[in-house]
Amino acid sequence: LGSGHPCRDAAVLLVSEVFSNSVRHSGSGAAGETVTVAVIAGDGMVRVEVTDRAGPGTPELRPAGRDAEGGRGLQLVACLAARWGSRRRGAQLVTWFELSCPC
């Protein structure tokens, strides 16, 4: 997304959250593994898909304690995205979100 895109800032924030979760909670954090980010923009919508080597679980919202240092990333995704979710594709996990433009 270009610097003037109305959803750029929200997309950058949410990609950083989902990408870091992929590195932390999947096999993609190991040396030589990858995380792939795909961005599709058009018709007033931005869709982002982050694909990793699936770990044992799937992304789900969890409450974070007042003093917790983590646990709020997916809450940001749920608050800012029009829709979000995940799906398994073989040994991979695709976590996706959609932003309605303007954000």
Side-chain angles (χ1 to χ4, degrees), residues 56-83:
T58 57
E60 56 185 76
L61 287 173
R62 294 187 177 110
R66 282 184 86 209
D67 297 330
E69 292 184 19
R72 292 179 181 80
L74 284 180
Q75 291 177 8
L76 280 172
V77 175
C79 286
L80 294 177
R83 298 181 332 138

Side-chain angles (χ1 to χ4, degrees), residues 4-98:
H5 195 283
C7 290
R8 181 182 177 273
D9 292 341
V12 167
L13 174 65
L14 299 187
V15 165
S16 71
E17 293 296 337
V18 176
F19 187 93
S20 63
N21 282 351
S22 289
V23 171
R24 177 183 280 173
H25 299 293
S26 78
S28 289
E33 292 294 339
T34 61
V35 177
T36 303
V37 178
V39 180
I40 302 118
D43 296 331
M45 181 74 65
V46 173
R47 181 179 176 96
V48 176
E49 296 183 351
V50 178
T51 304
D52 60 43
R53 180 168 294 289
T58 57
E60 56 185 76
L61 287 173
R62 294 187 177 110
R66 282 184 86 209
D67 297 330
E69 292 184 19
R72 292 179 181 80
L74 284 180
Q75 291 177 8
L76 280 172
V77 175
C79 286
L80 294 177
R83 298 181 332 138
W84 76 278
S86 65
R87 68 181 186 281
R88 289 198 177 266
R89 187 171 61 201
Q92 298 178 320
L93 178 71
V94 179
T95 304
W96 58 271
F97 62 86
E98 294 178 348

